[in-house]
Amino acid sequence: MTGKKLNGGTTIAGTMIFAHLAGIKVFATGGLGGVHRGGENSMDISADLTELGRTPVAVISSGCKSFLDIPRTLEYLETQGVGVSTFADGRSSKVDFPAFWTRDSGTLSPSTVDDEREAAAMIFAQSSLGLSSGLFFANPIPAQHSIPKSEMDKHIAQAIQDAEKSGSTGSDNTPFILAKIRELTAGNSITANQALIESNIIRGTRVACELARLESDPTGRLDRSALNYSLNRGSPAAFETNIAGGARETSSDKLKANEDEATIVVAGSLAIDLACDFLPAKGATSPVSPQLHTSNPAKITQHLGGVGLNVATAIKHLGTNVQLCSVTGDDEAGATVRTMLAAKGFAMSGIIQEPSARTSQYVAVNDGQKNLVLAMADMSLMETCADEVEEVWKPLIERSKPRWLVLDANWNPSALKQWIMHARAVGARIAYEPVSVAKSRRLFVSTPTIDFDLGVLPNHTISLATPNHLELASMHTAAQEAGILERDDWWQVVDAMGLSSSGSRDKLAAITSDSLVNDGIPQQSIQLLPLIPTILTKLGNKGILITQMLRPGDDRLTSPAHSRFVLSRADPGHPTIGGVYMKLLPSAEQVPTAQIVSVNGVGDTFLGVIIAGLAKENPRTLADIVDIAQQGSVMTLKNMEAVSPEIAKLKEKL
């Protein structure tokens, strides 16, 4: 090569190198290169075979082309230390190594695999052993497209004879023979070629999905029989482990230890998100909302999302170390989710897979102005998790000792309480994302099997919550119904807050607005402060209402610039309460409807930026962080992604 910027293609050898550099472990293609006939004299041997001996990538193809020397090719691969197996496809007797256009070559395969799961287990085992060679899996062409061996042998013999007569050797040999075979088969070789490529892509995809399942299963919840089968097929390393009664620390062990280090742990949902944006007729002024009980025109997009993932993604974009803890099903959607997570650079030690379960999905129906009209969430998978918190995630929390735990309300009440207890045990502060009106109440639901009560200052369990105004009202109602707002310890904190006995309506209206006071939003947030000392209520285009309990000595209590936002002051001698702070921050930007791309993930982006800011060693003021978080929300509002990558620009501001 001369270093010129030209277009080109890559051989299997070249593609393996790029795949390995990109972290791709499974590569599906058409046919493998090999040892040419007469290669013992010409030394014409494909670089594909050499690369398989030194690059840890699994290659799936329909064997070698029939005009190559298949027995010598297999011998060469064995010399290079490359494991070779052929998919048996239900055949129980001896299986031939396939010869590209035909399922049979007359040469037996060195070994066979029953299915994609077993192939993935072999890849996983080899990766765990740290071997540098690759694996080759031969996928026979589908039977209905296979050209009979006897017919292909005649065509190949003729093509090789013609190549010798024409002097086509070296790099010219293969193209000449392929063209001749196409001519001799009247184009049937091309049809067969297309069929086997499609088959290999499907097979390779399934192997990759099975491998992702194995790699994302830190708890051993998957059936490991296929893995054990591969590890015990005479592997010296497996034998050494069994004799010693334990395994030495490997690079993967060290990686897992590093994965558990996290400043922030996000425990929440993973889901396939569908956004359905209503498309009004051109020139129509109304309606801007979809009509009920009929089909509506829409633009529908699909993304990997879920509150937990979106929040963790925002934190990751801002350069903060974050560990996501969530659950997927064992369906195809789950395999896709886990593969995409790994590609995004998330540690997989916090992701578990539930057998015989559906991966969560979320469908949002938005009006013509991209405002949410209706959402449907299938989060039943998270409803079943409880034991996993104790078995899987408690040890992770204990190892990572995060500063913050972000907890979304998609968990069932028992799981929520367990998350809270384990996080508090290691000194982590907890941020609560209510998710929806119905689920926001879960924090206040009693769980008879768990001895747990929401504490009040200074023994509060939740440090921060980010409801919208509807979720705030639901949380307030749930706290009332649970009797929490009548408890003696709650009243003691309320009395200490120093609120005016004659009422604070006028001051609340001056700080916020008459409409917000009429809706009871400031009053509800104040009444929840003893339980959650910082509440950031999302009010759409009206901005963010900060309601916060101040500690004694907080600079805002004596600052003239903040005096109008200090709703009340506690007695100077109180050990833990200084007063109540409330401020309505307007939206960072009023985004025109034409610029709104998607509303999904806007609130999650906001929370992610907030926690990334608060987790700093020396965080900025809460109002500053909220302002920056609103800027991040605007970036997501204008972006197709659930969380805009553009928010990385806010890192320096935080």
Side-chain angles (χ1 to χ4, degrees), residues 245-328:
R248 296 168 298 195
E249 183 182 51
T250 65
S251 58
S252 61
D253 295 325
K254 294 176 181 177
L255 176 60
K256 186 173 186 302
N258 292 336
E259 285 180 350
D260 289 339
E261 297 174 4
T263 303
I264 302 167
V265 169
V266 177
S269 62
L270 270 173
I272 300 294
D273 281 356
L274 287 171
C276 307
D277 296 331
F278 175 63
L279 296 177
K282 289 184 178 180
T285 56
S286 64
V288 295
S289 292
Q291 298 182 51
L292 299 179
H293 312 302
T294 187
S295 176
N296 290 272
K299 177 183 178 182
I300 301 176
T301 55
Q302 177 177 297
H303 297 283
L304 179 59
V307 174
L309 175 60
N310 292 344
V311 173
T313 299
I315 295 169
K316 191 174 184 64
H317 281 324
L318 294 166
T320 303
N321 193 357
V322 60
Q323 169 73 64
L324 175 63
C325 295
S326 192
V327 58
T328 71

